[in-house]
Amino acid sequence: MEIPFLMPLVLSLLLFSNGICKSLAARPPVVNIGSILQLNSTTGGVSEVAIHAALEDINSDPTVLNGTTLNVLMKDASCLDGFLGMVQALQFMETDAIAIIGPQCSTIAHIISFVANELRVPMMSFASDATLSSIQFPFFVRTAPSDLYQMAAVAEVVDYNHWKIVTAVYIDDDYGRNGIAALDDALTAKRCKISYKVGFPANAKNSDLINLLVSVSYMESRVIILHTSAANGLRLFSMANRLNMMGNGYVWIATDWLSAYLDSNSSVPADIIYGMQGVLTLRPHTPNSKMKSNLISKWSSLSKKYNHSDLRLSSYGVYVYDSVWAVAHALDAFFDDGGRISFSNDSRLRDATGGTLHLEAMSIFDMGNKLLEKIRKVNFTGVSGKVQFDASGDLIRPSYDIINVLGNGMRTIGFWSNYSGLLSTVPPEDLYSKPPNTSLANQRLYDVIWPGETSQRPRGWVFPSNAKELKIGVPNRFSFKEFVTKDNVTGSMKGYCIDVFTQALALLPYPVTYKFVPFGRGTENPHYDKLVQMIESNEFDGAIGDIAITMNRTVIADFTQPFIETGLVILSPVKKHITTSWAFLQPFTLEMWCITGVFFLVVGVVVWVLEHRINDEFRGSPRQQMITIFWFSFSTLFFAHRENTMSTLGRGVLLIWLFVVLIIQSSYTASLTSILTVQQLDTSIRGIDDLKNSDDPVGFQVGSFAQEYMVKELNISRSRLRPLGSPQEYAEALKLGPKKGGVMAIVDERPYVELFLSSYCKIAVAGSDFTSRGWGFAFPRDSPLQVDLSTAILSLSENGELQRIHDKWLKTGECATDSNEFIDSNQLRLESFWGLFLICGVACVLALLIYFGIMLRKYLRHEPKKSLRRFISFVDDKEPPKNRKKRSVSLPASSTNSLAALDIERPARPVRSGSVVDIEDYAVSRSAYLI
C-alpha cells in the first residue's frame, strides 16, 4: 500500500526527544478522548449520538471512574476527499487526548494509525479494512468485526447456494480493494472464484456507473457482490433497476453498508427500497438484551438532542457505544494500577515554513502503552454482547445476520458465526454453550425472495450475450465408431456419445452455442489424456466422447456425471471344456486336495493320541491301530465313523473337524454340480493375477488409459504391452497367441469389449472387472456447465432416454449372447479355506499340549524313576481303573440268559441267577442289550 506524500514528512518529524512534560494528577477531574468522524454521513451521525450516549451513562455513574469526568473532542474529517480528511485528522492529533474513537473510514485510519503509533494514543476504530492489523499498528484497536469475517460469511452464502463464480463491484479505495481481496481468499477456500472484478472511484459520474453495470451484464456470472459506501451503493441499485438488472436470474449481495443505511434511516424513500427488492445483505450480529433495549428506548431523545433526529440506532452505533465504555473500563484499571496522564512534546516537531499543522503541538502520551495494555484486557458485557479481544486484537466471536430486503423492510433469514463457521437459523449466542458443530449437513437458511419476486434459487450464471461459440473437442476415432466418429460425407460428428450430449443440452433451460472440433486424424485412435490437457490450456472449452474419468484427468478438468459405467476387463481366447472321466477331481486344486488329505490324517492321529489310553477301540496291535487311524479319519468325511470318543479333548477336536468337513463337503458338491451341469469355457487366463505373473505380451487399445494403468498400478513391464488399433487386430492377435507374435490377452474397457464380442464368438471375458470407472464429458475447472449437464444426464437416465440411445448404437447381436460368458476359476483354492484349517490346526495343537501336560503331571506324580522311555511307555499304557468302591446288584436269571443270548462278553466269573456282579459291567451289558 502506498503512503500518501505527506506521510514521510510526518513520520520523519515524529521522533522521541526530551521535551516539555505536561502532567496531570493520578485521577484528574476531566479526561479528554478524541473522535474523528464524518459527521454528515449516516454512520458518522449515528456514531456521534452513540458517543454522547455512552458519555452520559459513564459520567452519571460515579462508580465507573470514581469522580473523573470523561469528555469527548469531536473532529469532522471527510472520507470523500482523502487528502483533506487526512489533514483534518492530523490537525486533530494536536489535542491532548488519551484515546481516539474512530476514524470510520479505512483511508484515514491507515494514515492516523502511523501517527497514533508514534504518539502512543490508542485508536478505537470500527473501520473494517482487514489490512489494518495490530501487528503493524499496535495502537490500532478494532472495535467492530473485520472484513475478513464478513467476507467469510459472504463466501459461505455463495457456497451454500452452490454458486461457483461471482462478480465483484467495489469502490476503488483501501476499504474496497482490501475487502474484495479478503473475499477472493474466502471464495478460493470454498473452491469458488471471482470471475470479474470492477472498481470505481468514490466520485464516479452516473455515466461511468452505467457503463460499469453494462459491462457486468455481459459477464457470465449473475451473482454480484457489492462492496462500497452507502451513497454510491444506492446509486448503483437505482441504475441497475433501470437497466433491468434487478429481475429474475440476478443475485445481489451487499455488504454491511446496506444494513447500516436501512437500520439508521427512519424513512427510506419508496423508490430506493423498491429498487433493491430481493437483495441479500449482512449486518454485524448484536444479541437482544435489556441493555440494548434501554439504549434503543432513549435513542429518540438523544438523536434529537444532538441534531440527528432522523437517525436510528444501527450495529455500528452499538459498537461505538461499547468502544467508549471499553475506554472507560480500561482507564479505571489504568488509574488503579498507578497510571498517570502526562504528555511530552518533541522539540523537533516544527512546521518547516510556518504551516498550519502546528506539529510542535503534537504530544506523546507517556503512559500510552500501559493504557493500551488495559484496553486489550477489558472483559465486560456491553450492548453488542461480550466485549473482549483475542490475541490478534479482534473482538472474540464475530458473527453476522443474513438479511433479505423485502417489501418496506428487511427479514433475517439466518446467521453466520465464526464460532462454527457455518450458516444457521439459530442465533449465535445459543450456540456458544455447545461444542462447535462444523458439519455442512447442519447448514440452513430460511427461504429467500430473490430479485424478480421469486422463491426459486437463481442458477447464478448464464451464457453471456456476447459470449463466443464454445469449441468442443471430439475424438475422431478409427475403431469402434459406434461411440463417436466423423461422417466423411457431411463432416459432422455422430455416434452414441454425440447423441447423449445433444439430448442433455436440450434439457438445459438456456441455449448453448457450440461447434464440434474433431481431435485426431481418423487414421488411429487419439490419445485422450492430450485431449483433456487441451481443455486446461484453453484450446478447447470442453471435450465430449468416450472419455474415461481417471484420477489424473480429474486434477486438470471437471467431469460430468458418468453417462455409462465402465471398467477394465480381460479378453482371452476360449474353447468349450469337455467333461472327462476325471471330472470329480476338478472342484479342488492339487494344493487343496493335498492339504485336505493331510488334515484327515492329522486329525486321526490326534484323536488316536487323545483316546489311546482310555478307549479300547483305539488299542490293539500296531497294525490294528494304524487301520483304526485311517478308517476313523476318512470315515468322518461321510460322518460314518463308529468309534466312540471318550475324552473331552478328543470330542472337542472331533466337533471342530466335523464342522470343517461339512463346509468342505458342501463346497465340493456345489462345485462338482456346476462342472457337470453347466457348459464350461476353458482358458489359460483366470484373472488379473495370471497377467501379472506371466511374461507373455498383453494387448491394449491405442489411446486408452489401460496402458498406463497396467504399468503404474499392476507393475506390468511396458515392454510386454502391444498397442492394437481395431477389432480385427484384436481377433488376429488373440488367434496367433503369444508364441506366434500375438498376445495372451487384451485389457480394455467393457463397452468396447461388449461391442467386440457381438462379432467375435471364440473370445470371452476372463474374470470380472478389476476397475470401476465411467465415461463423462470434460469441462474446465469450476465450469457451471458441468453441473447443469450432470443434472441433465441424470434426467436422461431416469426417463429412459439414455437406455434408448444405448440400444440405438450399441445393441449387441446373437453372438454376444452365446459367447460373452465370464471365465473364472471354478476350482476351489486353499485361500478360500485356510481360515477353517487354521482353526482346526490350532485346536489340535492346543488339545495335544493340554493332554501331554496332564500326562506329564501324572507321570511325575506316580512314577518314581524318570526317563523318556518310561514316559513314552506310561503314555502308551492303558490307564488303570480308578480305585473306588463298587456297587453291586443282583441279576435276575432272565438278565443272565439275555446276555448269553446276545453273545455279549460275560464277566470274568460265571454269572448265575441271583449272583452279584460289578454294576459297571452290568451297565455296559445292559446298554448293549437295549441296543
Side-chain angles (χ1 to χ4, degrees), residues 169-213:
V169 180
Y170 60 95
I171 188 169
D172 194 6
D173 60 9
D174 291 339
Y175 162 75
R177 287 190 302 271
N178 296 331
I180 295 303
L183 174 63
D184 203 357
D185 293 340
L187 288 173
T188 301
K190 299 291 183 181
R191 290 196 63 186
C192 306
K193 67 178 181 179
I194 301 175
S195 61
Y196 182 59
K197 300 178 185 178
V198 55
F200 60 91
N203 57 353
K205 299 178 181 178
N206 287 346
S207 58
D208 295 333
L209 296 181
I210 291 175
N211 291 335
L212 179 150
L213 291 173

Side-chain angles (χ1 to χ4, degrees), residues 322-338:
D322 282 346
S323 299
V324 180
W325 270 96
V327 172
H329 285 297
L331 193 58
D332 186 52
F334 171 80
F335 289 140
D336 288 342
D337 198 24

Side-chain angles (χ1 to χ4, degrees), residues 671-682:
S671 180
L672 182 62
T673 302
S674 174
I675 291 173
L676 297 179
T677 58
V678 179
Q679 175 180 294
Q680 301 294 314
L681 300 176
D682 193 15

